[in-house]
């Protein structure tokens, strides 16, 4: 199985011609649709790059077929790798050079429409680690995100799933305000379980502040004062707050994923994921949270599942998706009632357990019934 992981690197805006990158993206969009448009004022080798990729599209992480005309499509690029021991891989004329000897990534002629133009960014620890794990970065992409230039690097690796031991790691995913709950099961017994949530108070505070400032900014705009010094300052403040909020959420997702993957690897566990995001969506609608925050919570729960699956695949961890409802009794199948402190109780058979533990009990009780 080929596993892939991708990282985004922000490129120095001062050294990149955003309009040029936008043109390359438009050409890539046409290439995806099977059109070849040769633009006389663009460098030939860069245009060959784009058309030479047509057959690879499906294999790239970002390479999904664009649904709308002129939707932004990232430009696929080949890479040339120069390793620390002097060995080389890839096309010598590739626009992206990963130089592990000088610890730099070189971008040739994709940042500006000028013969011989190239820029360098420092080599990423992420790339070095993926290569150490046996990965190879054969492809890269360049594109714009919120009008900022980025480079995406995709590492790929052939992996074989390991044979699971007598351990299982069950991961129950909710909307992000309820976080996740994980349980480690050995021979059908829960030996450890724990709910995990991000620091909600901090997230709420950042979010509410950004909403309040956005309202103030809206007022200024209606008065035509948004371009004043005060208005611009406020806009920057809002932008900074949002960036901080997203960084916090992202950071939490990454750290949690990393911990869980490590746990699975340490025990050679079979991972079971219950992705209840759709149910959580309905539940979330009933809660008194602003709709913007609800969207964020769902978005980051989805990101968590995506990142988790990507990393499980990368490390060859076997995993399954399974429904483990926390509102249905694992013993008799009766509907559970939620009592105080998220305790779930069955009126039919007397079963009682903390809500976050119910998914794990589904696994252990079912196992015992089979035995
Ligand atoms: Zn019951």
């Amino acid at each position: 199985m080929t596993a892939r992981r991708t990282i985004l690197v922000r490129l120095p805006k001062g050294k990149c011609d955003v309009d040029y990158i936008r043109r390359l993206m438009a050409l890539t969009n046409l290439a995806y649709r099977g059109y070849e448009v040769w633009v006389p004022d663009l460098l030939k080798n860069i245009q060959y790059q784009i058309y030479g990729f047509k057959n690879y599209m499906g294999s790239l992480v970002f390479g999904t077929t664009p649904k709308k005309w002129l939707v932004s499509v990232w430009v696929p690029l080949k890479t040339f790798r120069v390793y620390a021991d002097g060995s080389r891989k890839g096309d010598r004329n590739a626009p992206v050079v990963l130089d592990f000897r000088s610890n730099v990534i070189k971008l040739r002629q994709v940042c500006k429409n000028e013969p011989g133009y190239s820029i360098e960014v420092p080599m990423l620890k992420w790339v070095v680690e993926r290569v150490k794990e046996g990965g190879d970065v054969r492809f890269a992409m360049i594109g714009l995100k919120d009008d900022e230039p980025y480079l995406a690097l995709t590492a790929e690796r052939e992996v074989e799933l390991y044979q699971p031991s007598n351990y299982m790691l069950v991961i129950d995913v909710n909307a992000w305000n309820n976080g996740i709950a994980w349980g480690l099961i050995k021979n059908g017994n829960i030996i450890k379980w724990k709910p995990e949530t991000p620091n909600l108070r901090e997230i709420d505070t950042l979010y509410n502040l950004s909403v309040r400032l956005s309202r103030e900014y809206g007022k200024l705009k209606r008065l035509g004062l948004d371009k004043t010094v005060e208005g611009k300052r406020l806009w920057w403040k809002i932008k900074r707050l949002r960036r901080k909020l997203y960084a916090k959420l992202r950071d939490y997702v990454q750290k949690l994923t990393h911990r869980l993957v490590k746990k699975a690897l340490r025990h050679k566990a079979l991972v079971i994921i219950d992705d209840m995001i759709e149910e959580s969506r309905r539940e979330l609608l009933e809660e008194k949270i602003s709709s913007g925050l609800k969207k964020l919570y769902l978005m980051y729960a989805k990101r968590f599942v995506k990142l988790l699956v990507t990393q499980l695949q990368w490390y060859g961890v076997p995993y399954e998706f399974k429904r483990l409802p926390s509102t249905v009794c694992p013993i008799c199948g009766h509907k559970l009632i939620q009592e105080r402190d998220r305790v779930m109780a069955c009126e039919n058979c007397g079963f009682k357990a903390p809500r976050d533990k119910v998914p794990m009990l589904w696994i252990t009780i079912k196992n015992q019934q089979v035995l």
Side-chain angles (χ1 to χ4, degrees):
M1 182 183 81
T2 310
R4 290 189 182 85
R5 283 177 74 175
T6 297
I7 194 167
L8 283 183
V9 193
R10 183 130 57 122
L11 296 171
K13 210 175 178 177
K15 291 183 183 168
C16 298
D17 179 352
V18 167
D19 289 329
Y20 173 56
I21 296 174
R22 195 172 287 126
R23 278 184 81 192
L24 292 180
M25 289 170 82
L27 284 177
T28 310
N29 186 300
L30 291 171
Y32 270 115
R33 296 162 199 290
Y35 297 97
E36 278 191 27
V37 180
W38 294 88
V39 188
D41 67 321
L42 286 187
L43 294 161
K44 276 274 177 314
N45 56 340
I46 292 300
Q47 298 194 63
Y48 275 122
Q49 265 289 312
I50 295 171
Y51 299 115
F53 256 102
K54 267 189 300 192
N55 303 331
Y56 284 105
M57 292 308 178
S59 75
L60 289 169
V61 175
F62 285 94
T64 47
T65 313
K67 291 191 182 66
K68 275 183 265 171
W69 273 101
L70 297 178
V71 79
S72 58
V73 181
W74 288 49
V75 185
L77 305 166
K78 283 180 197 158
T79 67
F80 180 56
R81 287 86 74 203
V82 181
Y83 294 103
D85 64 358
S87 61
R88 285 139 202 266
K89 264 189 204 166
D91 177 1
R92 192 172 287 275
N93 297 317
V96 179
V97 181
L98 302 171
D99 189 340
F100 295 95
R101 282 196 302 189
S102 326
N103 262 318
V104 289
I105 300 172
K106 270 183 228 155
L107 292 160
R108 301 191 288 207
Q109 294 181 345
V110 281
C111 294
K112 215 174 246 181
N113 189 22
E114 201 180 286
Y117 184 83
S118 85
I119 68 164
E120 278 185 13
V121 291
M123 175 61 73
L124 304 170
K125 208 174 127 213
W126 184 93
V127 175
V128 176
E129 279 169 7
R130 297 297 81 80
V131 169
K132 249 188 223 160
E133 287 164 352
D136 190 9
V137 181
R138 287 164 64 211
F139 303 113
M141 291 192 148
I142 196 169
L144 300 174
K145 205 180 133 199
D146 303 328
D147 260 355
E148 304 270 350
Y150 279 87
L151 178 73
L153 294 166
T154 299
E156 47 179 64
R157 172 186 179 217
E158 286 306 314
V159 276
E160 243 179 76
L161 300 181
Y162 60 67
Q163 205 55 45
S165 66
N166 49 352
Y167 279 91
M168 272 194 251
L169 180 64
V170 181
I171 301 169
D172 178 40
V173 187
N174 304 298
W176 222 223
N177 52 324
N178 284 324
I180 64 141
W182 60 264
L184 193 63
I185 294 170
K186 186 186 180 185
N187 296 328
N189 297 307
I190 301 173
I191 55 171
K192 204 171 174 193
W193 72 278
K194 203 178 158 208
E196 310 248 10
T197 44
N199 186 338
L200 292 178
R201 194 178 299 165
E202 198 175 41
I203 288 164
D204 282 6
T205 309
L206 282 173
Y207 180 80
N208 290 332
L209 190 57
S210 91
V211 168
R212 214 189 65 214
L213 294 183
S214 299
R215 265 191 218 124
E216 264 175 50
Y217 184 75
K219 259 184 233 159
L220 285 183
K221 206 168 180 180
R222 278 193 296 280
L223 295 170
L225 297 172
D226 53 314
K227 298 287 180 235
T228 59
V229 176
E230 193 196 352
K232 277 183 188 163
R233 198 174 288 155
L234 189 58
W235 176 241
W236 277 111
K237 210 170 166 186
I238 295 166
K239 251 184 128 171
R240 212 168 43 232
L241 266 175
R242 286 193 190 149
R243 209 172 278 167
K244 197 170 162 191
L245 173 66
Y246 299 148
K248 282 226 179 307
L249 285 160
R250 193 174 53 228
D251 193 52
Y252 183 74
V253 164
Q254 280 170 352
K255 284 194 174 133
L256 184 60
T257 309
H258 185 71
R259 258 196 303 136
L260 291 167
V261 172
K262 279 236 158 127
K263 211 183 282 296
L265 282 170
R266 194 159 56 236
H267 298 289
K268 284 229 176 318
L270 168 68
V271 173
I272 294 178
I273 307 164
D274 184 13
D275 165 7
M276 296 240 298
I277 296 168
E278 277 315 306
E279 261 104 298
S280 299
R281 185 200 292 277
R282 257 171 273 144
E283 241 172 74
L284 202 56
L285 288 177
E286 290 160 20
E287 284 188 46
K288 281 193 201 116
I289 306 176
S290 70
S291 66
L293 209 47
K294 280 177 192 170
K295 261 188 218 148
L296 271 187
Y297 285 147
L298 284 167
M299 188 166 96
Y300 278 88
K302 279 186 193 151
R303 283 204 184 168
F304 167 74
V305 175
K306 206 173 156 205
L307 193 67
L308 180 68
V309 167
T310 305
Q311 294 202 12
L312 292 175
Q313 288 174 348
W314 180 264
Y315 291 108
V317 180
Y319 66 92
E320 287 169 15
F321 278 92
K322 220 174 220 170
R323 296 300 328 278
L324 305 166
S326 52
T327 52
V328 179
C329 177
I331 294 172
C332 69
H334 206 266
K335 198 171 160 31
L336 295 172
I337 291 165
Q338 183 155 336
E339 295 183 341
R340 270 176 43 193
D341 298 325
R342 286 173 68 86
V343 167
M344 303 305 282
C346 176
E347 283 181 324
N348 188 40
C349 73
F351 168 87
K352 215 172 218 185
R355 183 176 174 134
D356 294 317
K357 201 180 182 180
V358 178
M360 283 105 227
L361 289 165
W362 267 94
I363 299 270
T364 53
I365 290 169
K366 288 290 165 221
N367 262 6
Q368 281 156 13
Q369 282 172 356
V370 171
L371 292 172

